Amino acid sequence: MRFRRNFDEEPEINLIPLIDVMLIVLIFLAVSTTYSRFSELQLELPQADASKTQTRPNEIQVAVTADGRYAVDRQIVPFADPPAFSQQLQKAAQGRTNPVVVINADAQAPHQAVIGVMEAARLAGLPRISFATQRPRN
């Protein structure tokens, strides 16, 4: 008894249905993908005249160094957490009407350090925040 048949033909794979399915998937991905466009911020920074010096009594200068040291109005203060630092900012704000917190952060300072100062200013009730920058040297 011989149950096996001999096949003279080679089996073939039909690629047409596979190509159809791949095109459907490609069309689905192209239609369902959301394209987000990032826009640039257009900023105009104020210009300063180096010959004029202005005293600004309503500014609280906060410096953040690259190695993690903090200073409030040129006095080095510790930074344990934003609530503790907010007390330092409240002390500096006493006697000033509607002060502006000016953050002078080093370019190499961690982003979290600047966010910590901003959070401390919010906790101290000082909503006006500004950042100090300098022009690049040519």
Side-chain angles (χ1 to χ4, degrees):
M1 267 194 222
R2 199 171 161 193
F3 292 111
R4 279 182 122 181
R5 291 186 179 167
N6 288 338
F7 291 109
D8 294 334
E9 293 182 19
E10 289 281 327
E12 65 180 58
I13 297 175
N14 192 356
L15 294 178
I16 302 297
L18 179 66
I19 293 171
D20 290 342
V21 169
M22 293 304 291
L23 284 174
I24 296 292
V25 169
L26 182 66
I27 290 170
F28 174 76
L29 288 176
V31 169
S32 66
T33 302
T34 59
Y35 296 99
S36 60
R37 184 176 181 195
F38 296 102
S39 61
E40 294 181 19
L41 295 176
Q42 298 294 328
L43 297 177
E44 289 187 34
L45 297 176
Q47 298 183 7
D49 188 2
S51 63
K52 296 179 184 177
T53 58
Q54 297 176 352
T55 58
R56 297 179 180 150
N58 288 336
E59 288 184 351
I60 300 172
Q61 298 288 332
V62 178
V64 180
T65 63
D67 58 352
R69 291 181 291 153
Y70 296 82
V72 175
D73 287 336
R74 298 182 186 233
Q75 301 287 332
I76 295 178
V77 294
F79 186 91
D81 57 353
F85 195 72
S86 70
Q87 293 174 354
Q88 297 289 335
L89 292 176
Q90 285 175 344
K91 286 179 189 176
Q94 287 178 347
R96 299 180 185 184
T97 57
N98 204 11
V100 177
V101 176
V102 179
I103 300 174
N104 299 293
D106 189 280
Q108 302 302 318
H111 184 67
Q112 183 61 45
V114 176
I115 296 298
V117 172
M118 292 172 63
E119 177 67 13
R122 183 189 66 81
L123 291 173
L126 303 170
R128 297 178 60 199
I129 297 175
S130 179
F131 295 94
T133 61
Q134 67 181 7
R135 291 183 182 211
R137 295 179 185 145
N138 292 331

